[in-house]
Amino acid sequence: MRKLLRVTAPVDLGAIDPRSTPGLPTAERDGQHRKSWARGQVELVGDELGQQQEMLFAMAKAGSERPAHRVLLVLQAMDCGGKDGTIKRVAGAMNPLGLHIRSFGPPSAEELRHDFLWRIRRALPPAGYVGMFNRSHYEDVLIARVGSLVPEATWRARYDEINSFERELTEDGVTLVKVMLHISYAEQGERLLERLTDPRKHWKYNPSDIEARARWDDYQAAYAEALSRCGTDAAPWFVVPADRKWYRDWAVAHLLRETFDTLDLGYPPADFDVAHERERLRSGGAGADGTPEMNGR
Amino acid sequence: MRKLLRVTAPVDLGAIDPRSTPGLPTAERDGQHRKSWARGQVELVGDELGQQQEMLFAMAKAGSERPAHRVLLVLQAMDCGGKDGTIKRVAGAMNPLGLHIRSFGPPSAEELRHDFLWRIRRALPPAGYVGMFNRSHYEDVLIARVGSLVPEATWRARYDEINSFERELTEDGVTLVKVMLHISYAEQGERLLERLTDPRKHWKYNPSDIEARARWDDYQAAYAEALSRCGTDAAPWFVVPADRKWYRDWAVAHLLRETFDTLDLGYPPADFDVAHERERLRSGGAGADGTPEMNGR
């Protein structure tokens, strides 16, 4: 999946069909039950990811890797692109204890007083954790560009700044998995309509979504440039066709698993004498003065 | 479950059987498949909790409740008591996007320069989130007391400080669910042995676990006093028998669900004109100059 979904400059989003399902086993491509099949696969891959998470955490705790491994999934998409849903399904299949999920909305007054990477640095996963960014520093070359929130010279300089930042992260042990969930204009329309139709989904809707939708082509161009300029070997960009939610989750889960496979993780050896500790456990342990303390249980 | 598992002063942990299963439906009590039944129930309750989480989040976003509701599960237990496993299973059945999970280890040098509640305040869940504390400020009247990490006068004063702190949280919209996972001395021994036997579990073992085990009775007494003195109507303590992992997860999931039921959550009404927005969506939206922008899709 990492090979199939990776994009390199020049990125042409128009050439990627949001309804396509690259990498899906042929047997499932037209299967009647492919949706439930994919759901089941996400659960299975999630269990495997849970084991990898545990090794990542154990290695960080033992300090056996310097710098300690971290994995960071960066999710970007147009409104209704499925960022929340992907996290719900994929992270939901993993071990919540080792996850570090952060969502980035419009910057606060305090965040605006700093450079655009300040809030991102503060949100990085600690050693041993898997981070997931729901939106990211890429908003600063997307909405900041399309909405003219900063002068052109400012956002133009950010591509290089992002590349430097991500190189620094890589050198610090962070493995980046940057994913654009790629939906079609038509699919976005249907999902917005759903948010306007189901009262339980009204809270997800914002009237400004329509303005962003009217700038669809500008956003697609901004995405294409970000993916072209910031897709590097160390921190590649992947485009996941996302009109079909079940494929989207299946693909992101596999991207994560393949990424973990490249890390070659394992459990650290004991940093204590196992036989001696078994003996201590058997004999009931020792008090502060070195004599076993009997407590009648 | 809230009624069944709640403890009030004076708490007698010796009177609660760690292998018991209070509240379990009679039909399941001796059922052959009660383990898988309980697992399935946790998944089902998790789905319901996921919906409640969404409402909690939506209400916080809409600002329709002041102060905004938050839920905070505080998990305490002896070593091997199952805190990690409970979070893995219960949080794993919920929506990871709305969770705020924090683990507290030995305080860092910086944390020690502040009062014991400083790091706790910084880890509180934001409005709309469900927090889970893996250990908590209660360590400061448990290990701090048994291990004589601070003078007696210091830890003795903390019960009142904790009660004030938790009253303040309650007034700020936080609903506390404080749970002690109650395991037996024998069960702890078996679980420690497992960590010494399975090389994939060595990383979870620490030689100091044996010293803590040798002080079992002192820890149980410290727990009993903490639960007695800090179990209030606003922030009650629950004791969950935890020798049986499947019961433990089932019970904690139900405690959370019953807690959510007391909050009477719902989806906030739209703060925009739904019909007008549907019309805007239909007509393709408006550009910055107020005219619809056609983009040929």
Side-chain angles (χ1 to χ4, degrees), chain A residues 186-205:
Chain A
E187 179 71 17
Q188 188 193 51
E190 281 177 33
R191 293 185 188 179
L192 282 172
L193 186 59
E194 209 179 316
R195 291 183 180 182
L196 284 170
T197 305
D198 185 345
R200 291 171 305 178
K201 294 189 175 175
H202 285 349
W203 68 276
K204 295 185 186 178
Y205 180 85

Side-chain angles (χ1 to χ4, degrees), chain B residues 60-281:
Chain B
K61 194 181 171 217
S64 52
E65 284 283 326
R66 301 264 172 222
H69 286 311
R70 287 173 281 172
V71 173
L72 177 57
L73 175 69
V74 171
L75 283 178
Q76 285 287 159
M78 299 291 288
D79 291 324
C80 300
K83 299 180 299 296
D84 288 12
T86 302
I87 292 176
K88 181 177 175 179
R89 291 285 171 189
V90 177
M94 297 170 67
N95 187 343
L97 206 50
L99 292 176
H100 188 86
I101 303 171
R102 292 295 179 274
S103 298
F104 296 95
S108 68
E110 185 186 14
E111 288 167 353
L112 284 172
R113 279 196 294 273
H114 298 273
D115 86 290
F116 76 105
L117 293 172
W118 181 77
R119 65 174 183 164
I120 306 296
R121 289 183 190 276
R122 291 161 56 98
L124 292 170
Y129 280 77
V130 176
M132 296 194 179
F133 279 1
N134 186 348
R135 302 185 190 269
S136 67
H137 44 299
Y138 282 95
E139 291 296 330
D140 296 289
V141 289
L142 294 168
I143 189 172
R145 164 180 167 158
V146 177
S148 301
L149 305 185
V150 293
E152 178 167 347
T154 302
W155 61 256
R156 283 227 169 268
R158 286 179 177 167
Y159 300 107
D160 286 343
E161 289 162 16
I162 288 174
N163 285 336
S164 297
F165 170 60
E166 293 185 353
R167 199 160 44 238
E168 179 192 328
L169 290 185
T170 306
E171 284 163 10
D172 199 31
V174 178
T175 303
L176 283 152
V177 186
K178 301 185 295 192
V179 173
M180 180 204 180
L181 304 175
H182 180 47
I183 58 164
S184 62
Y185 184 80
E187 180 71 18
Q188 189 194 49
E190 282 177 31
R191 294 186 187 177
L192 282 171
L193 186 59
E194 210 179 315
R195 291 183 180 182
L196 285 171
T197 306
D198 184 345
R200 291 170 305 177
K201 295 190 175 175
H202 284 351
W203 67 276
K204 294 185 186 178
Y205 180 85
N206 190 312
S208 69
D209 295 347
I210 298 287
E211 277 101 72
R213 178 170 168 78
R215 304 290 302 274
W216 182 272
D217 290 345
D218 295 334
Y219 269 106
Q220 295 287 304
Y223 265 104
E225 183 158 2
L227 272 55
S228 295
R229 297 195 55 179
C230 301
T232 61
D233 283 341
W237 265 108
F238 303 97
V239 173
V240 170
D243 273 10
R244 301 173 195 266
K245 295 175 182 174
W246 56 268
Y247 170 78
R248 170 198 78 195
D249 300 338
W250 179 86
V252 173
H254 277 279
L255 278 177
L256 275 178
R257 201 191 60 173
E258 288 178 15
T259 302
F260 267 102
D261 285 345
T262 67
L263 296 182
D264 196 24
L265 301 174
Y267 286 98
D271 57 358
F272 49 81
D273 180 338
V274 176
H276 176 65
E277 293 300 322
R278 287 176 68 109
E279 177 52 29
R280 285 181 72 214
L281 176 61

